[in-house]
Amino acid sequence: MILGIGTDLANIDRIAGVLERHGDRFRNRVFTEIEQAKAERRADTAGTYAKRWAAKEACSKALGTGLRMGISWKDMAVTNLRSGQPVMHLTGWAAERLREMTPEGHEALVHVTLTDDHPWAQAFVVIEARPV
């Protein structure tokens, strides 16, 4: 059963501008160390950050809250499997919200997909409840 769906579209040039103006202050407020390391290794640093920004926005929508109610940007983090597939990790308040919305006898799975085509980065998040 689907518990939540979220999407977001981010402008890569806008994220590049924010990175230029605010640098580490922005990076450290929004992205985990792992996300930062991934982005800084990529040729398209701003595009990598923009996709992760979009994923966090999409995830907050799938959780049914948007970025309110105490959710932190770092409570949602994107890593990649060896295959390159993105994976969303939830901690803190986001993980608590996920527990609350998951029916008893089910486990929650968070699916995320990312894409970009300059100047746009897009993410979709689907939260699924699967019987245990």
Side-chain angles (χ1 to χ4, degrees):
M1 110 183 45
I2 302 298
L3 298 179
I5 300 172
T7 186
D8 193 66
L9 184 66
N11 185 290
I12 295 169
D13 294 333
R14 179 176 160 257
I15 297 297
V18 172
L19 287 164
E20 191 174 304
R21 282 190 309 281
H22 300 287
D24 285 343
R25 183 170 162 236
F26 171 68
R27 277 190 277 285
N28 294 332
R29 185 175 136 250
V30 176
F31 302 100
T32 65
E33 288 181 16
I34 292 169
E35 289 173 311
Q36 290 180 46
K38 170 84 171 182
E40 296 301 325
R41 285 193 308 267
R42 302 297 291 262
D44 184 12
T45 303
T48 302
Y49 279 121
K51 284 187 281 190
R52 279 149 178 75
W53 171 278
K56 292 167 187 270
E57 286 275 6
C59 185
S60 71
K61 293 170 186 173
L63 288 168
T65 63
L67 287 163
R68 59 183 175 87
M69 297 175 55
I71 200 165
S72 165
W73 288 102
K74 288 184 176 182
D75 285 348
M76 303 165 289
V78 178
T79 62
N80 295 84
L81 300 177
R82 293 187 76 148
S83 65
Q85 176 185 345
V87 179
M88 180 67 72
H89 303 275
L90 302 181
T91 59
W93 189 91
E96 178 59 31
R97 171 69 181 142
L98 184 63
R99 278 190 293 278
E100 290 171 1
M101 64 191 288
T102 304
E104 193 170 318
H106 289 73
E107 65 176 340
L109 300 165
V110 181
H111 306 280
V112 60
T113 186
L114 309 173
T115 191
D116 65 294
D117 187 8
H118 197 88
W120 301 107
Q122 187 173 32
F124 286 95
V125 171
V126 175
I127 301 174
E128 171 190 9
R130 185 167 49 188
V132 236

